[in-house]
Amino acid sequence: MANLVVYAASYGKNIGTGHIARAVSIVDSLRMIGISAKILPVDISKKHSVFADSSVIEKFSCYYQVDSNLFLSHIPDDILFSVLDFRYYRRDVFDVLRKYSFLVGIDPDYKSSGYCDISFSAFPVLHKGRVNTFVNPLTKKSIGVLSSTGLSKNNRDKILLVTMGGQDPYLLTEWVQNNILSDKRLSDYRKIVVSGPSFDRKIKPTCGEEIITPRKDEFAKLLVDSDIVITSFGLTAYESAFCKAKTWLLCPSSYHKRLADIAGFPAFLPNKNAQDAFFSFFTGEDKEQSVYTVFSYPMVEDLLANFYSFLKMSRGCPSCSSVRRKLIERFSDRSFVTCVSCKTEYELVFDGHVKMYKKEYFFEEYKNQYGKTYIEDFDNIKKMGKARLSFISSVMGIEKQNSGLKLLDVGCAYGPFLSAAKDAGFIPYGLDVSDDAVRYVQDVLGFTAWKSDFSSSNGKSEWEKEKWDVLSMWYVIEHFKHLDIVLSKCHSLIREGGVLAFSTPNARGLSRIFSKKKFYKNSPKDHYILLHPSSAKKILYRYGFSVRRVRGTGIHPERIPFIGRLAGKNPLVMRVFSFFVTLLRLGDTFEVYAVRLPDKKRP
């Protein structure tokens, strides 16, 4: 069973070392909370991507002071999901990982983000439409190290630190040495220049500065102790700001400068203007940098852990378990994808949201949405139940008043459909996860009901030992993370020729057609799957059900531009609109009535 999180991080000539450094920090945090995670270093500086060999892994292991077993030299086949931390798009790696698992991008470029199911940005982006949410640029480990080191800027020499990353391919270190460090205005400062672990040249002192290549823990202490830090745009800039050092950026390109400007750092390109700007910055008063706001953003480790928990329960497609999918929309708490194999639409959640169906769900939350509590709406829901029962009876070819058939309503809530079923001659039973709802059905309505989760029961409950004539789920099926388990159980519980009836939101209704993004944004977080009449019919047949009737419901002309205004003023327009919406099954919800096929006819 797939349980591994693979963190694929890029390295190579002119790529920098920040991706690997972040990978080590995040993977370490994930492993500390029991999540199996490993790093897949990928050299993307060559024409074809190359996975790190043992010598490169040993080098990373030594510098970052971690076990070499933390790294991978190939793509394993037991991946739950993959994290992509790449400087730029590499199709040869992305295609392979996408076949095995879901992809989470961290600071992906525009093209890479199109491959990612979920995209987090620690840095400013110029393509916000392809980002789910922004995250704290620091990791939990780096915050812990920087915080535990302790600020010690008092009663010692003032320090100016120059650090341009692990490689500095643009020779920014030398530019700072030649244009800034030699100035007499810095004579009171102890000047320290970092020669990164992957520099392809030797940095020599030019004006009495110290040249060092510190270990990771030594570098953290340097940041904490420094008064002024000159660096380039990246993780070190944020770490320096976190330590409350005056942070000034020298950018290798106008692109990096633009990102630094958006982030709120003083940033310049290496020219005469930059030299003047630095000393203006150096002699000016300390200003609260706007960059500090990002430290209140969610931690990427928390979001990855939430997604891990979600996938451990849901795996791939809820209907067929395939991981072949196509992105539909992304939001700050989730993404929506379509299964390429069976066309089921489903969500990928990473905000840790768990819906609890307690009393408040049927009272406060229901009233906020519909203007009355569930109990106050009982008679109206029961009336809708009577119409549904007539369709069930029609599909079964029975007289309602003489049926005497056993009906199990899954997600029965406070029992309006059970009450309608009793009046129609059925023998009703209820099932719900809410204690309060089950007690109400038992004590007030007098029907047999069980408190149980339909999708995760163990097969030993009393209701699981029955063969039901009718099994209904009214606006329940979309709440299940495992549609395959649910439909398989339905097939085993319903007798041959019995009926499965359910209602659910319509992923091809007019609201979705006219405002796709709004439709998915407003979809409740506990609606893990979204069906439409065509996909429902195909999926049900695969699980041994033949759809005999689909009824379009949820007609809301007020949600449709222009039509809503006309329908509200003209009853004839409303009737014509409702007729065609029902006929074409374009309502915002729909009902399905399917008959269980004999086992020998099951595909």
Side-chain angles (χ1 to χ4, degrees):
M1 184 173 286
N3 290 309
L4 182 66
V5 176
V6 170
Y7 195 119
S10 64
Y11 75 97
K13 185 178 181 180
N14 298 338
I15 303 301
T17 59
H19 305 280
I20 298 294
R22 180 161 58 181
V24 170
S25 185
I26 290 175
V27 165
D28 184 60
S29 294
L30 294 177
R31 291 170 72 91
M32 286 181 67
I33 59 174
I35 294 176
S36 177
K38 291 195 174 186
I39 301 167
L40 179 68
V42 184
D43 184 348
I44 63 171
S45 62
K46 299 177 174 59
K47 183 177 180 180
H48 299 288
S49 300
V50 178
F51 300 138
D53 59 23
S54 58
S55 63
V56 174
I57 288 175
E58 190 60 35
K59 179 181 177 182
F60 288 145
S61 172
C62 205
Y63 177 71
Y64 293 106
Q65 298 173 293
V66 294
D67 193 322
S68 60
N69 289 326
L70 192 68
F71 297 92
L72 296 167
S73 58
H74 65 282
I75 297 177
D77 56 7
D78 59 341
I79 308 174
L80 185 62
F81 71 91
S82 299
V83 180
L84 301 178
D85 193 343
F86 278 54
R87 182 167 177 176
Y88 49 77
Y89 170 79
R90 289 309 293 255
R91 182 171 181 174
D92 53 353
V93 179
F94 292 7
D95 276 350
V96 176
L97 288 172
R98 189 173 173 83
K99 289 179 182 178
Y100 286 103
S101 65
F102 294 99
L103 301 183
V104 178
I106 298 182
D107 290 317
D109 65 2
Y110 182 79
K111 196 168 186 179
S112 300
S113 64
Y115 259 67
C116 298
D117 304 292
I118 295 169
S119 177
F120 300 140
S121 279
F123 300 153
V125 295
L126 307 179
H127 49 275
K128 292 184 179 179
R130 292 201 169 193
V131 174
N132 285 84
T133 191
F134 288 91
V135 296
N136 193 319
L138 303 187
T139 64
K140 287 187 173 183
K141 185 174 182 180
S142 63
I143 289 176
V145 170
L146 294 173
S147 299
S148 63
T149 302
L151 298 175
S152 56
K153 290 183 170 63
N154 296 322
N155 302 317
R156 51 132 183 91
D157 292 338
K158 294 184 291 185
I159 296 176
L160 187 154
L161 178 67
V162 179
T163 173
M164 293 297 174
Q167 292 182 338
D168 186 19
Y170 302 100
L171 310 182
L172 299 178
T173 302
E174 288 88 342
W175 190 94
V176 174
Q177 286 181 295
N178 296 330
N179 294 277
I180 292 180
L181 297 189
S182 59
D183 196 284
K184 293 181 180 179
R185 283 171 285 186
L186 298 175
S187 59
D188 291 340
Y189 280 80
R190 177 187 171 194
K191 298 181 280 287
I192 301 176
V193 175
V194 173
S195 176
S198 299
F199 273 30
D200 58 2
R201 62 202 185 276
K202 185 176 181 179
I203 302 297
K204 299 178 180 180
T206 60
C207 53
E209 68 272 30
E210 302 170 42
I211 311 296
I212 63 172
T213 303
R215 298 193 312 267
K216 286 296 293 180
D217 56 337
E218 294 172 335
F219 182 70
K221 189 175 189 311
L222 263 179
L223 279 178
V224 171
D225 286 346
S226 296
D227 298 274
I228 296 176
V229 175
I230 301 176
T231 186
S232 54
F233 182 73
L235 294 175
T236 300
Y238 286 99
E239 290 174 338
S240 172
F242 180 80
C243 294
K244 299 298 177 71
K246 292 184 68 172
T247 307
W248 189 84
L249 306 192
L250 189 65
C251 300
S253 70
S254 57
Y255 172 76
H256 292 89
K257 183 181 183 306
R258 187 176 178 188
L259 294 180
D261 289 340
I262 296 172
F265 288 105
F268 299 88
L269 297 173
N271 52 40
K272 184 65 170 69
N273 292 334
Q275 186 180 28
D276 295 338
F278 172 78
F279 285 103
S280 175
F281 163 81
F282 170 70
T283 57
E285 295 183 3
D286 288 343
K287 294 182 180 179
E288 187 73 13
Q289 294 173 309
S290 59
V291 68
Y292 296 141
T293 58
V294 301
F295 300 135
S296 64
Y297 290 176
M299 303 301 298
V300 67
E301 298 97 324
D302 291 337
L303 299 184
L304 293 176
N306 291 340
F307 190 48
Y308 180 86
S309 298
F310 176 81
L311 286 185
K312 284 283 286 184
M313 297 178 64
S314 63
R315 298 291 169 179
C317 170
S319 174
C320 68
S321 300
S322 170
V323 294
R324 297 177 61 221
R325 72 281 179 198
K326 182 179 180 181
L327 182 70
I328 304 173
E329 292 286 352
R330 61 171 96 243
F331 299 100
S332 62
D333 55 356
R334 55 188 167 160
S335 290
F336 287 89
V337 297
T338 301
C339 176
V340 174
S341 300
C342 70
K343 309 305 179 186
T344 299
E345 297 182 4
Y346 58 100
E347 63 177 7
L348 300 172
V349 181
F350 55 83
D351 74 338
H353 170 84
V354 178
K355 189 76 170 182
M356 302 301 291
Y357 302 100
K358 296 182 178 180
K359 186 175 181 179
E360 294 78 12
Y361 177 79
F362 298 100
F363 286 83
E364 286 86 350
E365 293 185 38
Y366 191 93
K367 188 172 184 177
N368 289 338
Q369 185 171 359
Y370 299 106
K372 58 181 73 174
T373 68
Y374 194 91
I375 296 298
E376 291 170 344
D377 206 22
F378 188 98
D379 291 339
N380 181 52
I381 302 172
K382 180 177 179 179
K383 183 180 178 181
M384 289 189 289
K386 290 180 179 179
R388 291 165 176 163
L389 287 159
S390 67
F391 291 117
I392 291 172
S393 298
S394 175
V395 167
M396 299 185 77
I398 61 172
E399 295 293 331
K400 291 185 290 184
Q401 62 271 24
N402 298 321
S403 68
L405 300 176
K406 291 187 296 183
L407 179 150
L408 177 64
D409 187 29
V410 178
C412 64
Y414 287 79
F417 185 69
L418 299 178
S419 181
K422 175 69 173 177
D423 294 347
F426 289 85
I427 303 173
Y429 297 82
L431 188 72
D432 205 281
V433 294
S434 168
D435 282 314
D436 192 70
V438 170
R439 280 197 301 268
Y440 186 90
V441 169
Q442 293 171 335
D443 300 341
V444 178
L445 300 184
F447 300 133
T448 300
W450 299 276
K451 179 187 180 299
S452 183
D453 184 340
F454 184 83
S455 65
S456 61
S457 54
N458 57 16
K460 298 179 181 179
S461 301
E462 185 179 348
W463 59 270
E464 293 178 276
K465 299 174 183 177
E466 296 282 347
K467 281 291 185 180
W468 300 96
D469 299 295
V470 179
L471 193 152
S472 58
M473 298 180 179
W474 306 113
Y475 299 110
V476 171
I477 201 165
E478 63 274 9
H479 295 270
F480 292 118
K481 292 182 180 179
H482 296 281
L483 186 60
D484 51 351
I485 293 175
V486 169
L487 292 180
S488 294
K489 181 167 285 190
C490 287
H491 186 270
S492 68
L493 291 175
I494 300 173
R495 67 165 176 82
E496 184 179 312
V499 168
L500 170 64
F502 65 85
S503 56
T504 191
N506 186 2
R508 293 296 181 272
L510 286 179
S511 288
R512 195 264 192 190
I513 292 172
F514 279 93
S515 184
K516 178 183 173 183
K517 194 170 188 73
K518 184 178 179 181
F519 171 80
Y520 289 106
K521 184 176 182 179
N522 292 339
S523 179
K525 291 182 181 179
D526 56 340
H527 287 193
Y528 298 110
I529 63 169
L530 289 169
L531 302 172
H532 52 84
S534 177
S535 66
K537 186 174 182 178
K538 293 176 182 177
I539 292 168
L540 286 170
Y541 181 71
R542 191 167 67 247
Y543 286 93
F545 292 94
S546 173
V547 174
R548 299 299 171 82
R549 179 155 190 167
V550 176
R551 180 185 176 217
T553 54
I555 300 170
H556 299 284
E558 71 277 4
R559 299 177 183 176
I560 311 303
F562 181 67
I563 294 293
R565 293 193 296 271
L566 284 179
K569 297 177 180 178
N570 192 321
L572 178 60
V573 173
M574 180 63 184
R575 287 197 296 271
V576 172
F577 175 81
S578 299
F579 172 78
F580 281 105
V581 169
T582 302
L583 179 69
L584 298 174
R585 300 168 182 168
L586 293 175
D588 286 343
T589 56
F590 67 102
E591 296 173 359
V592 173
Y593 301 87
V595 172
R596 183 199 185 278
L597 297 172
D599 290 333
K600 63 181 180 181
K601 291 187 177 182
R602 184 175 179 179

